[in-house]
Amino acid sequence: MSQSPPHPPYSTLEVSERDPESFQKEVVQYPDHSIPQAVPLEQAAAGATHSYYSPESAKEVVNPPHNLYPGAVPAAYKDPNYAGGAYQQNGAYLNAAGYPAGAGVAYSDASAYPQSAYPASSTSPIDSNAYGAGANGDYPQSEQKAAPAATICGLQKKIFFIILGGVAVVVIALIAGLAGGLASKNNNNNGSGAGAESSESGGQNPNNPVGTNSTTDEQLILSNSKITASNWTDPNGVVHRTIFFQDAYNSIVARRWDSKGKTWKTNNLTELMAATTTPLRPQSGTPLASASMDFSNKFETHVWFTDPNNMIRSMASFDALNRPDSWDNDTLNGAQLETWPGGQLAAMWQRCYNGNNCNGTWIVAYQRPEGAIKTANSSTWASATVAVESKDVAANSSLAVLPKLDGASLDRLELISERVASDKSGSMRMTFYNDTWNAADQRVTELQSDIPLPAPSQQFAATRWDSWNQALYIALVEGGDIQGNHWDGKQMTDVGEFKFNSGPETNFTAIAMSPDAMFYGISNDEILEYSLDTSDPSNFNYVGRVFP
């Protein structure tokens, strides 16, 4: 933030010279005072050239008006920038002269203006005759002495009752604290510490599911937030998982877990980048896609999203093993990848072709503004390739991508998208990448032939297991139902119904699956985690709560 020049001149110009309440004033600031303040009207009228509300050397009145309200006495002024309390509102002074309410009230001494700003000086600009006759301007003294104030225990009544009230508050607080401490002790003795276990494990106790967010009534997750998940394994065999979503303030949040610590940790990526030259400005309900790599001593996690201009942006943890809290802007080499408004994203890390010794590439699938599905990769981000032509895809199609084996090499991929089947329904399809997208429309497998047309809440997800030989493809459709197919390595089977065992009642508004067959869903302002029963892929077993 730039610094203001030292001691700049300051000027306040009011609207009219004809209006005595708003005549034109100018204040010249001097180096020994940092806050400019206009001289009050009444002092200027009396010929003052300096303000008595602050050091005399600080201000100067330029061209004060003359004969303005001669003899008028201003109300007491309390500048909020000085000691003495808050500024007195006009409601405290009910007549034009600045006196408290009540006609004919005479003030006989300076106590009428507590904390008065006027100094005791023979050069005061205030006309003392305005207070009435008196020798040399002195005020007449009242002949009647005031009755002594009533006291209690030697104290004025007001002070006595203030002290009494304070003592009562302290006593009540002590009693309440003692009662609360005893109740807490009883609860701990009778509750066997279940609450502490749930808090420490982050909801990873399937025998103690949390059905609702019991800690606060405030919404924590953006109502139209998407979700994405990825995983990787470090050299010690520790599994790391990362979940991304948007919180209620539109921030992109990462939740990280590892099989050693078994607790969820949080990184707010939007907050981390707020003070940088490349702050994050994601769309509300932005599509989210993520992927991780663990190859040749490189461990990274990337997330992709869209900004308000429908351009793809990315953040990455380039050293997820040693600096998991460090996230940086991934510039995509300056590529401008524009998406269909409201379109979805999908991503994966692809190993090198035919087992070649390289670090592989990052793949992002997205729908272009003209409708075609393209895939961009990190070898040449700007040279995206058409994977599915616009005639074969629905607008705002959900997307998913999966690695696929080619013999012993995991260097192929599958792209799942939706095509319009009729004016009311679409079909979920899988397109196979075989070292090229040429003639990809001849390598299509129909998955779900009758699903609703795309909607903001409709999303696809997919995962593999059994050494990448088996796969599950699922769709969250309008209304919260989940449909899908299972590939057992030999044939494709339609899964009639999915069951989410144990855990809270679900109403999923967003879903994701990680490559290690874990399912994540946003339900009732929570993120829930399930593991796929690989012996029966129609079953998901509750693991715990990821967030909050």
Side-chain angles (χ1 to χ4, degrees), residues 349-368:
W349 172 66
Q350 184 182 34
R351 287 165 173 78
C352 292
Y353 174 71
N354 202 24
N356 291 336
N357 187 20
C358 72
N359 290 328
T361 55
W362 304 98
I363 306 291
V364 177
Y366 65 103
Q367 188 167 24
R368 282 281 301 157

Side-chain angles (χ1 to χ4, degrees), residues 111-359:
S111 65
Y113 292 91
Q115 300 179 359
S116 174
Y118 298 98
S121 171
S122 61
T123 61
S124 172
I126 301 175
D127 186 358
S128 60
N129 293 328
Y131 290 91
N136 297 326
D138 293 335
Y139 300 102
Q141 300 296 321
S142 173
E143 296 180 358
Q144 182 178 0
K145 295 183 179 180
T151 61
I152 301 177
C153 296
L155 299 173
Q156 294 182 7
K157 285 185 176 182
K158 182 177 180 180
I159 297 177
F160 174 80
F161 285 115
I162 290 175
I163 295 175
L164 182 62
V167 172
V169 170
V170 172
V171 172
I172 293 173
L174 289 174
I175 294 174
L178 180 61
L182 293 175
S184 176
K185 182 178 180 180
N186 290 335
N187 288 336
N188 289 337
N189 290 336
N190 298 329
S192 68
E197 179 184 6
S198 175
S199 175
E200 182 178 354
S201 65
Q204 295 297 308
N205 182 2
N207 297 320
N208 185 26
V210 181
T212 59
N213 179 15
S214 59
T215 59
T216 178
D217 293 331
E218 181 184 2
Q219 181 177 342
L220 301 176
I221 302 174
L222 191 68
S223 60
N224 60 341
S225 173
K226 305 300 188 293
I227 186 172
T228 183
S230 67
N231 68 275
W232 56 279
T233 304
D234 68 24
N236 296 320
V238 177
V239 177
H240 299 256
R241 298 178 180 137
T242 309
I243 317 302
F244 300 90
F245 65 98
Q246 280 182 288
D247 69 9
Y249 301 97
N250 211 46
S251 298
I252 295 180
V253 176
R255 289 281 279 175
R256 298 180 292 104
W257 178 92
D258 66 72
S259 58
K260 181 179 180 180
K262 298 184 183 298
T263 57
W264 289 97
K265 300 179 181 179
T266 303
N267 293 122
N268 187 319
L269 305 191
T270 302
E271 182 179 355
L272 288 174
M273 300 297 290
T276 70
T277 58
T278 55
L280 303 190
R281 296 187 178 92
Q283 288 182 0
S284 176
T286 177
L288 294 170
S290 64
S292 297
M293 68 171 292
D294 50 5
F295 182 77
S296 186
N297 291 322
K298 289 184 68 68
F299 306 93
E300 299 181 13
T301 296
H302 293 237
V303 60
W304 293 266
F305 58 96
T306 55
D307 66 17
N309 296 319
N310 301 309
M311 306 300 292
I312 297 177
R313 295 281 307 276
S314 178
M315 288 286 291
S317 175
F318 291 106
D319 187 1
L321 179 62
N322 300 307
R323 301 171 58 210
D325 292 309
S326 176
W327 293 84
D328 297 292
N329 179 38
D330 182 1
T331 65
L332 306 179
N333 296 332
Q336 299 294 307
L337 304 177
E338 185 177 4
T339 70
W340 181 286
Q344 301 298 311
L345 300 175
M348 59 168 279
W349 172 66
Q350 184 182 34
R351 287 165 173 78
C352 292
Y353 174 71
N354 202 24
N356 291 336
N357 187 20
C358 72
N359 290 328

Side-chain angles (χ1 to χ4, degrees), residues 446-450 472-473 482-487 491-498 538:
E446 294 287 338
L447 299 176
Q448 293 291 306
S449 59
D450 186 16
L472 181 68
Y473 315 88
I482 294 181
Q483 303 176 15
N485 298 76
H486 169 220
W487 170 256
Q491 64 179 0
M492 191 75 71
T493 304
D494 186 355
V495 179
E497 180 182 5
F498 289 97
S538 66

Side-chain angles (χ1 to χ4, degrees), residues 11 23 81 194 208 221 253 313 319 331 386 451 500 502 507:
S11 176
F23 67 90
N81 295 308
N208 185 26
I221 302 174
V253 176
R313 295 281 307 276
D319 187 1
T331 65
V386 174
I451 64 174
F500 291 86
S502 302
N507 178 29

